[in-house]
Amino acid sequence: MKVTVIGAGSWGTAIAGVAAARADEVMLWSHDEPVPAGINEHHRNPLYLTDFTLPDNVRATGDFREALEGAEGVIVVVPSPFIRATIHGAAPYIAADVPVLCLTKGIEPGTGKLMTEVVEEELGHPERVAALSGPNHAEEICRGTLAAAVVASEHPGVVAFFKDLLISPAFRLYASSDVVGVETCGAVKNVIAIVCGIAAGSGYGDNTLALIMTRGLAEISRIVHARGGDPMTCMGLAGMGDLVVTCTSEHSRNRSFGVAFAHGESLDAYQARTHMVVEGAAAAKSTAELCRRLGVDAPITFCLEAALYRGMTLDEALEALIVRTPTEEFYGLDR
């Protein structure tokens, strides 16, 4: 079986290594020119996870036709700002019956669409599209340390296909039918992680970080509920699990950007320095747009959006949060 991974960043590289244990051939598609040569000649990605040696049955290319011809499964792992254009380019080479798994986390600006919805629009046949999310830092997945994730689709056969492909003793996979909940958690937790990084970089302690994570989870739950998802999903791997690891880990680019932002580094400078897309920065804008459209109260998201894009200082953002009068803990949710 041939499996194609579209996107050869850290997560794409790591998941290619996971898929290689079950697939006969894994083809990585990358738009970064040095990547195919580095993987094909040395079995290493020269830009991401550079110390990770990929299995011999993983190859790479920058050509969609070569990458996708004969593929029986496709995994999408491109940064959210580029997902629509990338999948539009790949669409002519993906057969209508090929299952597609989306690992990208985000909400599209303007439309408020989740990443699977973007993929479905570009490819058609939405019944074959699933999402995977969970506390999965690529730096640990590639080393085979114990981890878990959720595969979400309303169609059990698609979930079963990707569980069989990716599951291992070290990578536990659970099933869910709540695609909206799983994807919303995956997108918005990046916003909360930036705020945790800002707090840590500003000298606040563990109590403050716990406060941000807990109220952040309540904020995510309100958004999931308003979008028609199940708030209970927020208590699982895609919600609480991913939130904790992204808000606390040294591997989290969203948290580390928050720390750098608190120290005065701009978003553009951070992304140029690290060669990484800060998904939570894009999500702050698109999530704020969505919340205003849905009438959801999302104060943490609104303050981060204002700090990143509207010229609000960090002191002003903090003031905007702490002057709010605390109300019922779980407001905005049906119980």
Side-chain angles (χ1 to χ4, degrees), residues 126-130 152-161 176-177 179:
E127 71 283 351
R128 45 78 177 265
V129 179
S153 172
E154 295 179 3
H155 302 276
V158 180
V159 172
F161 176 87
S176 172
S177 60
V179 181

Side-chain angles (χ1 to χ4, degrees), residues 11 105 132-137 148-150 182 186 189 237-239 241-243 245-246:
W11 195 198
K105 299 173 180 178
L132 181 147
S133 193
N136 306 139
H137 280 309
V150 177
V182 166
K189 58 88 185 178
L237 288 164
D242 205 1
L243 180 71
V245 76
T246 309

Side-chain angles (χ1 to χ4, degrees), residues 95-290:
D97 60 345
V98 171
V100 179
L101 182 65
C102 184
L103 274 60
T104 303
K105 299 173 180 178
I107 296 172
E108 188 176 46
T111 68
K113 293 185 182 296
L114 298 167
M115 297 295 96
T116 56
E117 294 171 324
V118 173
V119 172
E120 290 164 3
E121 281 191 353
E122 294 298 330
L123 294 183
H125 303 280
E127 71 283 351
R128 45 78 177 265
V129 179
L132 181 147
S133 193
N136 306 139
H137 280 309
E139 294 84 354
E140 296 183 8
I141 295 294
C142 71
R143 297 201 305 268
T145 58
L146 183 61
V150 177
V151 180
S153 172
E154 295 179 3
H155 302 276
V158 180
V159 172
F161 176 87
F162 286 110
K163 279 190 67 175
D164 289 345
L165 172 64
L166 299 174
I167 198 167
S168 73
F171 194 41
R172 298 174 59 80
L173 292 176
Y174 294 81
S176 172
S177 60
D178 183 20
V179 181
V180 168
V182 166
E183 283 206 274
T184 302
C185 287
V188 185
K189 58 88 185 178
N190 287 327
V191 176
I192 309 304
I194 292 177
V195 178
C196 280
I198 291 172
S202 300
Y204 288 91
D206 294 340
N207 290 346
T208 305
L209 296 182
L211 167 64
I212 294 168
M213 284 189 277
T214 306
R215 297 312 301 156
L217 188 63
E219 188 161 307
I220 295 169
S221 299
R222 291 194 296 273
I223 301 169
V224 168
H225 175 66
R227 284 224 50 182
D230 183 358
M232 183 60 71
T233 298
C234 301
M235 300 305 298
L237 288 164
M240 190 64 187
D242 205 1
L243 180 71
V244 168
V245 76
T246 309
C247 290
T248 62
S249 173
E250 63 181 316
H251 300 308
S252 169
R253 73 189 67 169
N254 292 285
R255 179 194 159 99
S256 65
F257 164 65
V259 172
F261 189 67
H263 293 164
E265 187 171 14
S266 70
L267 174 62
D268 289 341
Y270 177 88
Q271 293 186 143
R273 174 171 61 84
T274 63
H275 306 289
M276 297 279 194
V277 173
V278 181
E279 293 281 15
K285 181 182 290 187
S286 57
T287 303
E289 291 174 355
L290 177 65

Side-chain angles (χ1 to χ4, degrees), residues 15-66:
I15 206 67
V18 173
R22 296 289 185 96
D24 298 306
E25 177 187 1
V26 176
M27 181 67 81
L28 264 169
W29 177 88
S30 174
H31 79 287
D32 292 312
E33 188 174 336
V35 171
I39 291 174
N40 295 336
E41 295 173 14
H42 306 292
H43 304 293
R44 291 195 178 190
N45 188 325
L47 299 181
Y48 305 97
L49 299 184
T50 54
D51 293 333
F52 174 46
T53 300
L54 285 156
D56 291 345
N57 59 335
V58 177
R59 297 189 300 116
T61 181
D63 179 73
F64 279 130
R65 183 187 296 276
E66 181 184 4

